[in-house]
């Protein structure tokens, strides 16, 4: 920095303060005595920001690992270990060694918006900088619509919402004028438990649905129930009548049967700021585009878009396909695949200035639920997402049909002959891409639990508990087993000690034949069988333990989960596709 720049702290870009420490091979956040003290973390106590010429060297000593690469007249040089070779003087350094790969944690943040979601990699800046980023994130309390926290050991579902609310300069030409912020773009992102795959399910904004009653938190802390509405567009599940993102989450559950754990939401500005921060995103169009509505102009073939042009690309629909929203969804999915590849590239991950810019842009663009409303938790979410290979991230859309009630086709309805299989695959954590099985032996051992002899139904001795099924399910199952299936030695013992997501059958080794027969009657898969210990029933005799989980659909309704996803129109995040 020149002498003029030293006197102008406001000219220092926070990204410029990330320097390579040659002793460790790591990038570090250096806050020198002349560094600005706003917008980024302050140095630790003992390193005053404005130490003057008269201050002692001891008072001006920079914190450990934050010392300047070249000591100035006011800052002592780094200490040299006893016996270590002396550092060559400035300007005479030769043969600088290749820096080691940074061991700093990478924070990968998935953000939502009109572009649906984006993978952002951010080099860790330490606790203080994380707290600074956390101040950028907005949160909404959605109550019981989502989970209170995040688990690294489970599959999870995040609803990514892009609103059509016009905020920020230059957005007058997009969305509905005066919109309260409807759910314009919606993607339900399911990440598998084993992190081998993920499914991004787009939900059309013009899908006709029944929006359920929605409890919403008010500014004064009270709760107001917004009444549900029937036969309306999906996008009205947000904003309309004061509905919050929790209402959209509840609507997704009502339509698909899939529970949503968390949400991420952003508006038009997110597309512009994030694509500019990463230096543009590569896109491809099959033919030249000159759209008068969105003002998008692109030549045929590959181009790079960012900022205003990127927003125009994801908002354009009159130049692709049948000029409808379903074709625009495909274009957005193609754009997102390209954006994800750019964000996870080495060019992005190894550029500290770019990572700082992305961290600021991403956190300012986001609104999330309180369950993941801090940067530390967002980091955990992102690190789990990072484990999924892009080739196994599938983009697809809810199967739909034109609304038969309309003469002029403007809306769509769920295709009941195809959609349930898609929803069941996601609920059952089944991949839409071919993934390499990590634990083939374990899966074979599980499948073997159903192989072997079966006892007679009359010989099954079972105690039934309700572990998360609707009220009365245990009694309903007891009646069905005794009166329809011929299992007289069955008892209903109330609620389980803890709720379960899936129905299970626990048994001792000498009861395996009874467990197999019960699985056949209940329509249970091998994974529902849990070899272990039996319990004593009311007569003191050993009994199988049947616990009805949240997946229970009713007595006599099969609970066998799909092992293969249905064929769907899809794309994956690793491949380049030209919009047409």
């Amino acid at each position: 920095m020149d002498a003029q720049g030293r006197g102008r702290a406001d000219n220092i870009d926070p990204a410029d303060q990330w320097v390579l420490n040659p002793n460790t091979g790591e990038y570090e956040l250096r806050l020198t005595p002349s560094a600005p003290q706003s917008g980024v973390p302050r140095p630790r106590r003992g390193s005053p920001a404005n130490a003057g010429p008269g201050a002692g060297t001891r008072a001006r000593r920079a914190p450990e690992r934050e010392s300047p690469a070249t000591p100035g007249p006011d800052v002592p040089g780094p200490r040299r270990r006893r016996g270590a070779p002396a550092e060559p003087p400035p300007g005479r350094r030769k043969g600088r060694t290749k820096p080691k790969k940074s061991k700093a944690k990478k924070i990968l943040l998935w953000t939502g918006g009109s572009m649906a979601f984006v993978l952002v990699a951010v080099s860790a800046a330490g606790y203080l900088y994380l707290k600074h980023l956390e101040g950028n994130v907005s949160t909404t309390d959605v109550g019981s619509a989502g989970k209170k926290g995040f688990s690294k050991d489970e599959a999870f579902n995040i609803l990514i919402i892009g609103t059509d609310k016009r905020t920020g300069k230059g957005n007058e030409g997009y969305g509905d004028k005066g919109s309260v912020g409807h759910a314009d773009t919606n993607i339900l992102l399911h990440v598998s438990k084993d992190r081998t795959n993920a499914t991004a399910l787009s939900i059309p904004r013009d899908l006709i649905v029944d929006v359920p009653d929605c409890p919403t938190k008010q500014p004064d802390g009270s709760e107001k129930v917004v009444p549900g509405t029937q036969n309306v567009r999906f996008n009205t599940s947000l904003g309309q009548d004061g509905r919050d993102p929790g209402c959209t989450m509840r609507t997704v559950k009502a339509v698909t049967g899939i529970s949503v754990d968390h949400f991420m939401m952003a508006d038009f500005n997110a597309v512009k700021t994030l694509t500019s921060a990463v230096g543009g995103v590569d896109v491809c169009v099959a033919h030249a585009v000159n759209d008068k509505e969105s003002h998008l102009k692109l030549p045929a073939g590959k181009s790079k878009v960012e900022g205003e042009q990127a927003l125009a690309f994801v908002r354009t629909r009159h130049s692709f396909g049948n000029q409808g929203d379903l074709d625009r969804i495909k274009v957005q999915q193609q754009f997102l695949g390209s954006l994800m590849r750019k964000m996870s590239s080495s060019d992005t991950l190894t550029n500290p200035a770019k990572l700082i810019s992305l961290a600021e842009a991403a956190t300012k663009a986001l609104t999330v639920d309180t369950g993941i409303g801090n940067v530390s938790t967002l980091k955990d979410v992102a690190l789990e997402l990072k484990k999924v290979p892009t080739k196994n991230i599938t983009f697809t859309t809810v199967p739909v049909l034109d609304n038969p009630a309309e003469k002029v086709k403007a809306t769509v309805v769920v295709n009941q002959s195809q959609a349930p299989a898609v929803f069941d695959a996601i609920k059952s954590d089944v991949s839409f891409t071919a993934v390499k099985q990590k634990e083939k032996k374990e899966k074979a051992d599980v499948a073997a639990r159903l192989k072997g002899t079966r006892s007679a139904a009359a010989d099954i001795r079972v105690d039934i508990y309700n572990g998360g099924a609707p009220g009365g399910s245990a009694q309903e199952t007891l009646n069905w087993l005794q009166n329809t299936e011929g299992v007289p030695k069955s008892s209903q013992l109330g609620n389980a000690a803890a709720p379960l997501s899936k129905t299970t059958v626990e048994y001792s080794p000498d009861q395996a034949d009874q467990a197999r027969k019960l699985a056949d009657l209940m329509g249970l898969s091998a994974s529902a069988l849990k070899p272990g210990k039996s319990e004593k029933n009311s007569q003191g005799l050993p009994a199988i333990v049947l616990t009805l989980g949240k997946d229970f659909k009713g007595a006599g309704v099969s609970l066998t989960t799909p092992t293969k996803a249905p064929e769907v129109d899809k794309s994956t995040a690793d491949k380049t596709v030209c919009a047409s």
Side-chain angles (χ1 to χ4, degrees):
M1 183 180 296
D2 57 21
Q4 183 180 8
R6 289 183 184 273
R8 298 180 60 186
D10 57 333
N11 285 344
I12 299 176
D13 189 323
D16 294 335
Q17 299 177 56
W18 286 85
V19 297
L20 180 68
N21 186 329
N23 296 322
T24 64
E26 299 182 9
Y27 283 103
E28 298 173 358
L29 184 63
R30 182 182 67 187
L31 300 179
T32 64
S34 60
Q37 299 305 305
S38 62
V40 294
R42 299 181 63 184
R44 289 181 293 189
R45 186 176 300 174
S47 179
N50 298 310
T57 301
R58 187 178 187 85
R60 287 191 299 274
R61 178 175 154 188
E64 184 181 353
R65 298 175 65 87
E66 294 183 2
S67 59
T70 303
D74 296 327
V75 183
R79 289 186 176 182
R80 180 166 55 91
R81 290 182 180 179
R82 182 176 298 175
E87 285 284 315
R92 298 178 60 184
R93 186 184 299 270
K94 294 183 179 180
R96 170 177 272 183
T97 58
K98 184 178 180 180
K100 300 177 182 178
K101 184 178 180 181
S102 174
K103 297 178 182 178
K105 289 187 291 185
K106 301 289 189 296
I107 304 171
L108 299 175
L109 303 178
W110 284 82
T111 68
S114 295
M115 75 304 190
F117 64 86
V118 59
L119 184 61
V120 180
V122 183
S123 181
Y127 175 77
L128 291 178
Y129 190 67
L130 291 183
K131 297 303 290 183
H132 162 72
L133 292 177
E134 192 167 301
N136 293 341
V137 181
S138 300
T139 61
T140 297
D141 186 352
V142 296
S144 61
K147 288 187 175 180
K148 300 299 182 184
F150 175 74
S151 173
K152 299 179 183 179
D153 303 318
E154 298 177 353
F156 59 92
N157 301 312
I158 298 179
L159 179 62
I160 301 158
I161 307 171
T163 76
D164 60 358
K165 191 172 183 178
R166 296 182 183 183
T167 60
K169 185 179 180 181
N171 294 327
E172 295 81 6
Y174 303 102
D176 298 326
K177 185 176 182 180
S179 173
V180 293
H182 293 120
D184 189 61
T185 298
N186 310 276
I187 290 186
L188 178 61
L189 177 65
H190 170 79
V191 180
S192 69
K193 182 176 181 179
D194 62 7
R195 308 299 188 246
T196 61
N197 65 93
T199 302
L201 180 70
S202 291
I203 303 172
R205 67 176 189 178
D206 295 327
L207 180 68
I208 295 300
V209 299
D210 292 341
V211 178
D213 293 345
C214 178
T216 59
K217 297 286 186 178
Q218 302 302 300
D220 62 359
S222 63
E223 186 175 272
K224 174 185 176 182
V225 176
V226 180
T229 51
Q230 286 71 48
N231 294 315
V232 294
R233 281 179 166 86
F234 181 90
N235 66 345
T236 61
S237 64
L238 177 68
Q240 198 82 5
D241 302 321
R243 294 186 177 119
D244 65 10
C247 300
T248 310
M249 296 167 69
R250 296 176 193 274
T251 304
V252 170
K253 174 67 180 294
V255 173
T256 67
I258 302 169
S259 297
V260 182
D261 302 319
H262 305 286
F263 85 88
M264 293 182 178
M265 181 176 70
D267 58 22
F268 294 150
N269 284 323
V271 183
K272 297 196 290 188
T273 59
L274 290 168
T275 54
S276 294
V278 77
V281 175
D282 296 325
V283 297
C284 180
V285 293
H287 55 79
V289 175
N290 187 359
D291 194 291
K292 295 181 180 179
E293 298 290 333
S294 68
H295 308 294
L296 177 67
K297 293 183 180 181
L298 289 176
K302 296 181 179 180
S303 299
K304 181 177 287 187
V305 296
E306 66 175 277
E308 190 71 36
Q309 196 177 32
L311 179 57
F313 185 83
V314 298
R315 293 294 302 166
T316 294
R317 66 175 179 177
H318 296 290
S319 295
F320 302 119
N322 296 321
Q323 303 186 12
D325 191 54
L326 294 179
D327 291 298
R328 179 167 60 178
I329 286 174
K330 292 181 180 180
V331 173
Q332 291 173 346
Q333 292 172 346
Q334 294 159 10
F335 174 83
L336 293 172
S338 178
L339 188 54
M340 291 170 61
R341 293 192 297 274
K342 181 65 177 287
M343 303 308 296
S344 59
S345 69
S346 59
D347 176 61
T348 299
L349 296 178
T350 59
N351 188 323
K354 188 175 290 187
L355 293 175
I356 288 289
S357 179
L358 285 170
E360 296 288 348
T363 51
K364 288 177 181 177
L366 272 177
T367 298
V368 301
D369 61 281
T370 52
I372 54 173
N374 60 73
V375 172
S376 177
T377 305
L378 287 173
K379 175 206 69 177
D380 291 340
V381 173
L383 290 175
E384 294 306 305
L385 290 168
K386 184 186 177 184
K387 298 176 182 178
V388 182
T390 54
K391 67 179 181 179
N392 290 332
I393 300 176
T394 301
F395 293 98
T396 190
T397 305
V398 172
V400 296
L401 298 170
D402 287 334
N403 188 350
E406 295 176 337
K407 292 182 179 180
V408 178
K409 304 304 180 184
T411 61
V412 293
V413 296
V414 173
N415 184 336
Q416 294 298 341
S417 67
Q418 297 179 8
V422 174
F423 302 154
D424 285 345
I426 293 175
K427 284 189 289 186
S428 302
D429 204 20
V430 177
S431 176
F432 284 79
T433 58
V435 297
K436 184 178 180 180
Q437 300 295 342
K438 291 183 175 180
E439 301 169 347
K440 290 184 178 180
K441 182 180 183 302
E442 181 179 344
K443 291 181 180 294
D445 290 344
V446 170
R449 294 172 190 171
L450 282 176
K451 296 179 180 179
T453 60
R454 266 75 170 162
S455 71
D459 293 335
I460 298 174
R461 185 177 290 109
V462 56
D463 288 344
I464 307 167
Y465 293 88
N466 189 329
S473 294
Q475 185 62 47
E476 176 191 358
T477 302
L478 175 68
N479 295 337
W480 173 73
L481 286 174
Q482 290 183 341
N483 301 324
T484 304
E485 300 301 326
V487 185
K489 301 175 183 178
S490 49
S491 305
Q492 189 272 108
L493 298 180
N495 294 329
L500 298 177
S501 59
K502 295 184 179 298
T503 297
T504 63
V505 175
E506 188 172 2
Y507 56 96
S508 60
D510 60 345
Q511 295 171 312
D513 58 342
Q514 297 180 41
R516 296 187 194 105
K517 181 62 177 179
L518 183 61
D520 292 344
L521 297 176
M522 297 284 297
L524 296 171
S525 63
S527 61
L529 301 183
K530 306 296 181 183
K533 296 180 180 180
S534 60
E535 70 175 20
K536 301 292 185 180
N537 67 4
S538 56
Q539 287 79 40
L541 300 173
I544 292 172
V545 178
L546 170 63
T547 305
L548 306 178
K550 295 178 181 179
D551 63 336
F552 182 75
K553 301 175 183 177
V557 180
S558 176
L559 290 177
T560 301
T561 58
T563 57
K564 184 178 180 180
E567 291 296 325
V568 294
D569 184 11
K570 65 184 180 183
S571 61
T572 53
D574 65 318
K575 292 188 171 92
T576 300
V577 181
C578 292
S580 59

